[in-house]
Amino acid sequence: MTPCGRRAIKNFVLEELDLLVDCGAQSLASRELRRHVRPDGGHVEPSIYYHGIALEDVLDLLNFGAVRGSAAPDGDAAWPALLRPVAERMLGYLQFVRPPGGGYPLHGDAAVDAEPSPQALVDYAVRLGIDVPAQGDGLRHLADSGMLVWRSAGEYLLADVTGVGAPHVPGHGHCDSLSFEWYVGDLP
């Protein structure tokens, strides 16, 4: 793409961001983030791949503010104050559930080599100055999302111990309840 093309797209996106802010997008975003991102950082749709897509959207919104040179068109710091803690929680969740190979656990609608990859999301967050937590060993119960993760030097176990699907769309569920992924070394 030519520099003029990039500038035109950037200007279009930033003008749209101005419109969103003027129309109360911060209060809408705040409400929707509380609805869709659980306190443990997991996305309400129990597919970890969908979680990655939602995290990329949150990182994009943070990035748009950085590109603008201010948090919002009027210089309001509410956007980063709203988005950064959500991005940090979502990154923590993603780090905790990532299997040894670094991809997505194959729960819900996930696939080997799905994009954006978890590592691409971690790299993106680092470029935005967001601290990414270490995976760490031991047992983690991500109770709000219904996931148990055990990680040690040679093993990884992820168990889905929650119900089927997101509560607001009970007809769209995945048969992952009580399923697990277990790795010994890098082998599932």
Side-chain angles (χ1 to χ4, degrees):
M1 179 179 294
T2 67
C4 285
R6 282 194 295 278
R7 192 170 329 125
I9 289 172
K10 178 181 170 186
N11 288 339
F12 172 77
V13 168
L14 295 179
E15 286 173 18
E16 293 301 313
L17 184 60
D18 287 342
L19 177 64
L20 287 173
V21 171
D22 290 344
C23 293
Q26 290 176 359
S27 63
L28 176 63
S30 177
R31 184 186 78 217
E32 292 304 308
L33 287 169
R34 280 192 309 275
R35 217 175 117 222
H36 288 274
V37 181
R38 294 177 167 143
D40 64 11
H43 188 265
V44 71
E45 166 63 49
S47 166
I48 298 165
Y49 172 62
Y50 293 163
H51 172 92
I53 293 170
L55 172 57
E56 183 179 41
D57 292 341
V58 170
L59 295 174
D60 283 343
L61 287 171
L62 277 167
N63 196 19
F64 290 153
V67 167
R68 294 186 54 74
S70 67
D74 59 2
D76 184 1
W79 277 110
L82 169 67
L83 296 170
R84 185 170 289 274
V86 172
E88 290 170 349
R89 284 195 337 262
M90 293 180 81
L91 279 162
Y93 179 88
L94 183 64
Q95 282 291 87
F96 299 146
V97 300
R98 281 174 71 183
Y104 288 102
L106 297 179
H107 283 271
D109 291 335
V112 176
D113 297 328
E115 294 292 334
S117 72
Q119 188 59 51
L121 294 170
V122 166
D123 294 344
Y124 189 11
V126 168
R127 285 193 309 274
L128 295 175
I130 298 172
D131 293 327
V132 178
Q135 289 180 317
D137 286 347
L139 178 66
R140 292 189 193 272
H141 181 201
L142 300 162
D144 300 308
S145 299
M147 293 291 191
L148 285 171
V149 182
W150 166 259
R151 188 181 307 276
S152 70
E155 291 185 87
Y156 162 88
L157 176 72
L158 174 74
D160 184 338
V161 294
T162 191
V164 176
H168 65 282
V169 280
H172 175 84
H174 303 279
C175 297
D176 292 333
S177 295
L178 303 179
S179 65
F180 65 92
E181 287 187 34
W182 180 21
Y183 284 70
V184 176
D186 289 335
L187 298 174

